[in-house]
Amino acid sequence: MKLNFARAIFLFFAAYIIVTILAAATTETYGMIAHPPEAAPGVSPVKAPVFLATVPFHVLIMLIIWPIFAAIYFKKPKRRNPVEERTETWNLAFIWIALAMIVDCVGFVLIKHPYSLTAHAFYVDYQPWISLIYIAIFVSPFIRLMLSHRAPKRK
């Protein structure tokens, strides 16, 4: 099966918006409840105590939401050829990781807003978390593939 680009891109943006909202809400909620110390002036926002305390949950959010959207992408009533399904899974993984990197760069580095970061803050200070997030996005279609093969077949 060929990759359905329109479906892949639509589901990418839907998942991206949801994970961004959930990750921000997690950090903001923790900040309101726990009242962690403020970051020192001049410290990268990704090094702020409130962000450092919640960023592992951001990766967990990615590992939950992205496979769900991969499952939605593959939710079609047709029987699939296993080789074609693996190829489509690889293609979906590559398109989603490429889109994530492009959208992150444009949305969090190039466009200036209250949550924007410098390239150094985003790609260096945010390690290892940004790499783990990208890995989670990339492996999500494969998680869906693995779970779909383990699930009992419906008649």
Coordinates of all heavy atoms in Angstrom, one line a residue, residues 51-113:
F51 N 10.0 22.8 34.3 CA 10.1 22.0 33.0 C 10.8 20.7 33.2 O 10.4 19.7 32.7 CB 10.7 22.9 31.9 CG 10.7 22.3 30.6 CD1 9.5 22.4 29.8 CD2 11.8 21.6 30.0 CE1 9.4 21.8 28.5 CE2 11.7 21.0 28.8 CZ 10.5 21.1 28.0
L52 N 12.0 20.8 33.9 CA 12.8 19.6 34.2 C 12.0 18.5 34.9 O 12.2 17.3 34.7 CB 14.0 20.0 34.9 CG 15.1 20.8 34.1 CD1 16.2 21.2 35.1 CD2 15.6 19.9 33.0
A53 N 11.1 19.0 35.8 CA 10.3 18.0 36.6 C 9.3 17.3 35.8 O 8.9 16.2 36.1 CB 9.6 18.7 37.8
T54 N 8.8 17.9 34.7 CA 7.7 17.3 33.9 C 8.1 16.8 32.5 O 7.3 16.0 31.9 CB 6.6 18.4 33.7 OG1 7.1 19.5 33.0 CG2 6.0 18.8 35.0
V55 N 9.3 17.1 32.1 CA 9.7 16.7 30.7 C 9.7 15.1 30.5 O 9.3 14.7 29.4 CB 11.0 17.3 30.3 CG1 12.2 16.7 30.9 CG2 11.1 17.3 28.7
P56 N 10.0 14.3 31.5 CA 9.9 12.9 31.3 C 8.4 12.5 31.0 O 8.2 11.5 30.2 CB 10.3 12.2 32.6 CG 11.2 13.3 33.2 CD 10.6 14.6 32.8
F57 N 7.5 13.2 31.5 CA 6.1 12.9 31.2 C 5.7 13.3 29.8 O 4.8 12.7 29.2 CB 5.1 13.6 32.2 CG 5.3 13.1 33.6 CD1 6.1 13.8 34.5 CD2 4.8 11.8 34.0 CE1 6.3 13.3 35.8 CE2 5.0 11.3 35.3 CZ 5.7 12.1 36.2
H58 N 6.4 14.3 29.2 CA 6.2 14.6 27.8 C 6.5 13.5 26.9 O 5.8 13.2 26.0 CB 7.1 15.8 27.5 CG 6.8 17.1 28.2 ND1 7.5 18.2 28.0 CD2 5.9 17.3 29.3 CE1 7.0 19.2 28.9 NE2 6.1 18.6 29.6
V59 N 7.6 12.8 27.2 CA 8.0 11.6 26.4 C 6.9 10.5 26.6 O 6.5 9.9 25.6 CB 9.4 11.1 26.8 CG1 9.7 9.8 26.0 CG2 10.4 12.2 26.6
L60 N 6.4 10.3 27.8 CA 5.4 9.3 28.0 C 4.1 9.7 27.2 O 3.5 8.8 26.6 CB 5.1 9.2 29.5 CG 4.0 8.2 29.9 CD1 4.4 6.8 29.5 CD2 3.8 8.3 31.4
I61 N 3.8 11.0 27.2 CA 2.6 11.4 26.4 C 2.8 11.1 25.0 O 1.9 10.6 24.3 CB 2.4 13.0 26.6 CG1 1.9 13.3 28.0 CG2 1.5 13.5 25.6 CD1 2.0 14.7 28.5
M62 N 4.0 11.3 24.5 CA 4.3 11.0 23.1 C 4.1 9.5 22.8 O 3.6 9.1 21.8 CB 5.8 11.3 22.7 CG 6.2 12.8 22.9 SD 5.2 13.9 21.9 CE 5.6 15.4 22.8
L63 N 4.6 8.7 23.7 CA 4.5 7.2 23.5 C 3.1 6.7 23.7 O 2.8 5.5 23.3 CB 5.4 6.5 24.6 CG 6.9 6.6 24.2 CD1 7.7 6.0 25.4 CD2 7.2 5.8 23.0
I64 N 2.2 7.5 24.2 CA 0.8 7.1 24.2 C 0.0 7.6 23.0 O -0.7 6.9 22.3 CB 0.1 7.6 25.6 CG1 0.8 6.9 26.7 CG2 -1.4 7.4 25.5 CD1 0.4 7.4 28.1
I65 N 0.2 8.9 22.8 CA -0.7 9.6 21.7 C -0.2 9.2 20.3 O -1.1 8.9 19.5 CB -0.6 11.1 21.9 CG1 -1.2 11.5 23.3 CG2 -1.4 11.8 20.8 CD1 -2.6 11.1 23.6
W66 N 1.0 9.2 20.0 CA 1.5 8.9 18.6 C 1.1 7.5 18.1 O 0.6 7.4 17.0 CB 3.0 9.2 18.4 CG 3.3 10.7 18.4 CD1 3.8 11.4 19.4 CD2 3.0 11.6 17.3 NE1 3.9 12.7 19.0 CE2 3.4 12.9 17.7 CE3 2.5 11.4 16.0 CZ2 3.4 14.0 16.9 CZ3 2.4 12.5 15.2 CH2 2.8 13.8 15.6
P67 N 1.2 6.5 18.9 CA 0.8 5.2 18.5 C -0.7 5.1 18.2 O -1.2 4.4 17.3 CB 1.2 4.2 19.6 CG 2.4 4.8 20.2 CD 2.1 6.3 20.2
I68 N -1.5 5.8 19.0 CA -2.9 5.9 18.8 C -3.2 6.5 17.5 O -4.1 6.0 16.7 CB -3.6 6.7 20.0 CG1 -3.6 5.9 21.3 CG2 -5.1 7.0 19.6 CD1 -4.0 6.7 22.5
F69 N -2.5 7.6 17.1 CA -2.8 8.2 15.8 C -2.2 7.3 14.7 O -2.8 7.4 13.6 CB -2.2 9.6 15.8 CG -3.2 10.6 16.4 CD1 -3.3 10.7 17.7 CD2 -4.0 11.3 15.6 CE1 -4.2 11.6 18.3 CE2 -5.0 12.2 16.1 CZ -5.1 12.3 17.5
A70 N -1.2 6.5 14.9 CA -0.7 5.6 13.9 C -1.8 4.5 13.7 O -2.1 4.1 12.6 CB 0.6 4.9 14.3
A71 N -2.4 4.1 14.8 CA -3.5 3.1 14.7 C -4.7 3.7 13.9 O -5.3 3.0 13.1 CB -4.0 2.6 16.1
I72 N -5.0 5.0 14.1 CA -6.1 5.6 13.4 C -5.7 5.7 11.9 O -6.5 5.4 11.1 CB -6.3 7.0 14.0 CG1 -6.9 6.9 15.4 CG2 -7.3 7.8 13.0 CD1 -7.0 8.2 16.1
Y73 N -4.4 6.0 11.6 CA -4.0 6.0 10.2 C -4.3 4.7 9.5 O -4.7 4.6 8.4 CB -2.5 6.4 10.1 CG -2.0 6.3 8.7 CD1 -2.2 7.3 7.8 CD2 -1.4 5.1 8.3 CE1 -1.7 7.2 6.5 CE2 -1.0 4.9 6.9 CZ -1.2 6.0 6.1 OH -0.7 5.8 4.8
F74 N -3.9 3.6 10.2 CA -4.0 2.3 9.6 C -5.4 1.6 9.8 O -5.6 0.5 9.3 CB -3.0 1.3 10.2 CG -1.6 1.6 9.7 CD1 -0.7 2.3 10.3 CD2 -1.2 1.0 8.4 CE1 0.6 2.5 9.8 CE2 0.0 1.3 7.9 CZ 0.9 2.0 8.6
K75 N -6.3 2.3 10.4 CA -7.6 1.8 10.6 C -8.4 1.8 9.3 O -9.1 2.8 8.9 CB -8.4 2.5 11.6 CG -9.7 1.9 12.0 CD -10.3 2.6 13.2 CE -11.6 2.0 13.6 NZ -11.6 0.8 14.4
K76 N -8.3 0.7 8.5 CA -9.0 0.6 7.3 C -9.5 -0.8 7.2 O -8.9 -1.8 7.7 CB -8.0 0.8 6.1 CG -7.5 2.2 6.0 CD -6.5 2.3 4.8 CE -5.8 3.6 4.8 NZ -4.7 3.6 3.8
P77 N -10.6 -1.1 6.6 CA -11.2 -2.4 6.7 C -10.5 -3.4 5.7 O -10.8 -4.6 5.8 CB -12.6 -2.2 6.2 CG -12.6 -0.9 5.4 CD -11.5 -0.1 6.0
K78 N -9.6 -3.0 4.9 CA -9.0 -3.9 3.9 C -8.0 -4.8 4.6 O -7.4 -4.5 5.6 CB -8.2 -3.1 2.9 CG -8.9 -2.1 2.1 CD -8.0 -1.4 1.1 CE -8.7 -0.2 0.5 NZ -7.8 0.5 -0.4
R79 N -7.8 -6.0 3.9 CA -6.8 -6.9 4.3 C -5.5 -6.4 3.8 O -5.4 -5.8 2.7 CB -7.0 -8.3 3.7 CG -8.1 -9.1 4.4 CD -7.5 -10.3 4.9 NE -8.4 -11.2 5.6 CZ -8.3 -11.4 6.9 NH1 -7.4 -10.8 7.6 NH2 -9.1 -12.2 7.5
R80 N -4.4 -6.5 4.6 CA -3.1 -5.9 4.2 C -2.1 -7.0 3.9 O -2.0 -8.0 4.7 CB -2.6 -5.1 5.3 CG -3.4 -3.9 5.6 CD -2.7 -3.0 6.7 NE -3.5 -1.8 6.9 CZ -3.4 -0.7 6.1 NH1 -2.6 -0.7 5.1 NH2 -4.1 0.3 6.4
N81 N -1.3 -6.8 2.9 CA -0.2 -7.6 2.7 C 0.9 -7.2 3.7 O 1.2 -6.0 3.8 CB 0.3 -7.3 1.2 CG 1.6 -8.0 0.9 OD1 2.5 -8.0 1.7 ND2 1.7 -8.4 -0.4
P82 N 1.5 -8.2 4.4 CA 2.4 -7.8 5.5 C 3.6 -7.0 5.0 O 4.1 -6.1 5.7 CB 2.8 -9.2 6.1 CG 1.7 -10.1 5.7 CD 1.2 -9.6 4.4
V83 N 4.1 -7.3 3.8 CA 5.3 -6.6 3.3 C 4.9 -5.1 3.0 O 5.6 -4.2 3.4 CB 5.8 -7.3 2.0 CG1 6.9 -6.4 1.4 CG2 6.4 -8.7 2.4
E84 N 3.7 -5.0 2.4 CA 3.2 -3.6 2.1 C 2.9 -2.8 3.4 O 3.2 -1.6 3.4 CB 2.0 -3.7 1.2 CG 2.3 -4.1 -0.2 CD 1.0 -4.2 -1.0 OE1 -0.1 -4.2 -0.5 OE2 1.1 -4.4 -2.3
E85 N 2.4 -3.5 4.4 CA 2.1 -2.9 5.6 C 3.4 -2.4 6.3 O 3.4 -1.3 6.9 CB 1.3 -3.8 6.6 CG 0.9 -3.2 7.8 CD 0.1 -4.1 8.7 OE1 0.2 -5.3 8.6 OE2 -0.7 -3.5 9.5
R86 N 4.4 -3.2 6.3 CA 5.7 -2.8 6.9 C 6.3 -1.6 6.1 O 6.8 -0.7 6.7 CB 6.7 -4.0 6.9 CG 6.5 -4.9 8.1 CD 7.6 -5.9 8.3 NE 7.9 -6.7 7.1 CZ 7.3 -7.8 6.8 NH1 6.3 -8.3 7.6 NH2 7.6 -8.5 5.7
T87 N 6.2 -1.6 4.8 CA 6.7 -0.5 4.0 C 5.9 0.8 4.3 O 6.5 1.8 4.5 CB 6.6 -0.9 2.5 OG1 7.3 -2.0 2.2 CG2 7.1 0.3 1.6
E88 N 4.6 0.6 4.4 CA 3.8 1.8 4.7 C 4.1 2.3 6.1 O 4.1 3.5 6.4 CB 2.3 1.5 4.6 CG 1.4 2.7 4.6 CD 0.0 2.4 4.2 OE1 -0.4 1.2 4.0 OE2 -0.8 3.3 4.2
T89 N 4.4 1.4 7.1 CA 4.8 1.8 8.4 C 6.1 2.6 8.4 O 6.2 3.6 9.1 CB 4.9 0.5 9.3 OG1 3.6 -0.1 9.4 CG2 5.3 0.8 10.7
W90 N 7.1 2.1 7.7 CA 8.3 2.8 7.5 C 8.1 4.2 6.9 O 8.7 5.2 7.4 CB 9.3 2.0 6.7 CG 10.1 1.0 7.4 CD1 9.9 -0.3 7.4 CD2 11.2 1.2 8.2 NE1 10.8 -1.0 8.2 CE2 11.6 -0.1 8.7 CE3 11.9 2.3 8.7 CZ2 12.7 -0.2 9.6 CZ3 13.0 2.2 9.5 CH2 13.4 0.9 10.0
N91 N 7.3 4.3 5.9 CA 7.0 5.5 5.2 C 6.3 6.5 6.2 O 6.7 7.7 6.2 CB 6.2 5.3 4.0 CG 7.0 4.7 2.9 OD1 8.2 4.7 2.8 ND2 6.3 4.0 2.0
L92 N 5.4 6.0 7.0 CA 4.7 6.9 7.9 C 5.7 7.4 9.0 O 5.7 8.6 9.3 CB 3.5 6.1 8.6 CG 2.7 6.9 9.5 CD1 2.0 8.1 8.8 CD2 1.7 6.0 10.2
A93 N 6.5 6.5 9.5 CA 7.5 6.9 10.5 C 8.4 8.0 9.9 O 8.7 9.0 10.6 CB 8.3 5.7 10.9
F94 N 8.9 7.8 8.7 CA 9.8 8.8 8.1 C 9.1 10.2 7.9 O 9.6 11.2 8.1 CB 10.4 8.3 6.8 CG 11.6 7.4 7.1 CD1 11.5 6.1 6.6 CD2 12.7 7.8 7.8 CE1 12.6 5.2 6.8 CE2 13.8 7.0 8.0 CZ 13.7 5.7 7.5
I95 N 7.8 10.1 7.4 CA 7.1 11.4 7.1 C 6.8 12.1 8.4 O 7.0 13.3 8.5 CB 5.9 11.2 6.2 CG1 5.3 12.5 5.7 CG2 4.8 10.5 7.0 CD1 6.1 13.1 4.6
W96 N 6.4 11.3 9.5 CA 6.1 12.0 10.7 C 7.4 12.6 11.4 O 7.3 13.6 12.0 CB 5.4 11.0 11.7 CG 3.9 10.9 11.4 CD1 3.2 11.5 10.4 CD2 3.0 10.1 12.1 NE1 1.9 11.2 10.5 CE2 1.7 10.3 11.5 CE3 3.1 9.3 13.2 CZ2 0.6 9.7 12.0 CZ3 2.0 8.7 13.7 CH2 0.7 8.9 13.1
I97 N 8.5 11.9 11.3 CA 9.7 12.4 12.0 C 10.2 13.7 11.2 O 10.6 14.6 11.8 CB 10.8 11.4 12.2 CG1 11.9 11.9 13.1 CG2 11.4 11.0 10.9 CD1 11.4 12.1 14.5
A98 N 10.1 13.6 9.9 CA 10.5 14.8 9.1 C 9.6 16.0 9.4 O 10.1 17.1 9.6 CB 10.5 14.4 7.6
L99 N 8.3 15.7 9.4 CA 7.4 16.8 9.8 C 7.6 17.4 11.2 O 7.6 18.6 11.4 CB 5.9 16.3 9.6 CG 5.4 16.2 8.2 CD1 4.0 15.5 8.2 CD2 5.3 17.5 7.5
A100 N 7.8 16.5 12.1 CA 8.1 16.9 13.5 C 9.3 17.8 13.6 O 9.3 18.9 14.3 CB 8.2 15.7 14.4
M101 N 10.4 17.4 12.9 CA 11.6 18.3 13.0 C 11.4 19.6 12.3 O 11.8 20.6 12.8 CB 12.7 17.5 12.3 CG 13.2 16.3 13.2 SD 14.5 15.4 12.3 CE 15.0 14.3 13.6
I102 N 10.7 19.6 11.2 CA 10.4 20.9 10.5 C 9.5 21.8 11.3 O 9.8 23.0 11.5 CB 9.8 20.6 9.1 CG1 10.9 19.9 8.2 CG2 9.3 21.9 8.4 CD1 10.3 19.3 6.9
V103 N 8.4 21.2 11.8 CA 7.4 22.0 12.5 C 8.0 22.5 13.8 O 7.8 23.7 14.2 CB 6.1 21.2 12.8 CG1 5.2 21.9 13.7 CG2 5.4 20.9 11.5
D104 N 8.8 21.7 14.5 CA 9.5 22.1 15.7 C 10.4 23.3 15.4 O 10.5 24.3 16.2 CB 10.3 21.0 16.4 CG 9.4 20.1 17.2 OD1 8.2 20.4 17.4 OD2 9.9 19.0 17.6
C105 N 11.2 23.2 14.4 CA 12.2 24.2 14.1 C 11.5 25.5 13.7 O 11.8 26.6 14.3 CB 13.1 23.8 12.9 SG 14.3 25.0 12.4
V106 N 10.4 25.5 12.9 CA 9.7 26.7 12.5 C 8.9 27.2 13.7 O 9.0 28.4 14.1 CB 8.7 26.4 11.4 CG1 7.8 27.5 11.1 CG2 9.6 26.0 10.1
G107 N 8.2 26.3 14.4 CA 7.3 26.7 15.5 C 7.9 27.1 16.8 O 7.4 27.9 17.6
F108 N 9.1 26.5 17.1 CA 9.7 26.8 18.4 C 11.0 27.5 18.3 O 11.6 28.0 19.3 CB 9.9 25.5 19.2 CG 8.6 24.9 19.7 CD1 8.0 23.8 19.1 CD2 8.0 25.5 20.8 CE1 6.8 23.3 19.6 CE2 6.8 25.0 21.3 CZ 6.2 23.9 20.6
V109 N 11.6 27.6 17.1 CA 12.9 28.3 17.0 C 12.8 29.5 16.1 O 13.2 30.6 16.5 CB 14.0 27.3 16.5 CG1 15.3 28.0 16.3 CG2 14.2 26.1 17.4
L110 N 12.3 29.4 14.9 CA 12.3 30.5 14.0 C 11.2 31.5 14.2 O 11.5 32.7 14.1 CB 12.1 29.9 12.5 CG 13.2 29.0 12.1 CD1 12.9 28.4 10.7 CD2 14.6 29.7 12.1
I111 N 10.0 31.1 14.6 CA 8.9 32.1 14.9 C 9.1 32.5 16.4 O 9.1 31.7 17.2 CB 7.6 31.5 14.6 CG1 7.4 31.2 13.1 CG2 6.5 32.4 15.1 CD1 6.1 30.4 12.8
K112 N 9.2 33.8 16.6 CA 9.4 34.3 17.9 C 8.1 34.5 18.6 O 7.2 35.1 18.1 CB 10.2 35.6 17.9 CG 11.6 35.4 17.3 CD 12.4 34.4 18.0 CE 13.7 34.2 17.4 NZ 14.3 32.9 17.7
H113 N 7.9 33.9 19.8 CA 6.7 34.0 20.7 C 7.2 33.7 22.1 O 8.3 33.3 22.3 CB 5.6 33.1 20.2 CG 6.0 31.7 20.0 ND1 6.2 30.8 21.1 CD2 6.4 31.0 18.9 CE1 6.6 29.6 20.6 NE2 6.7 29.7 19.3

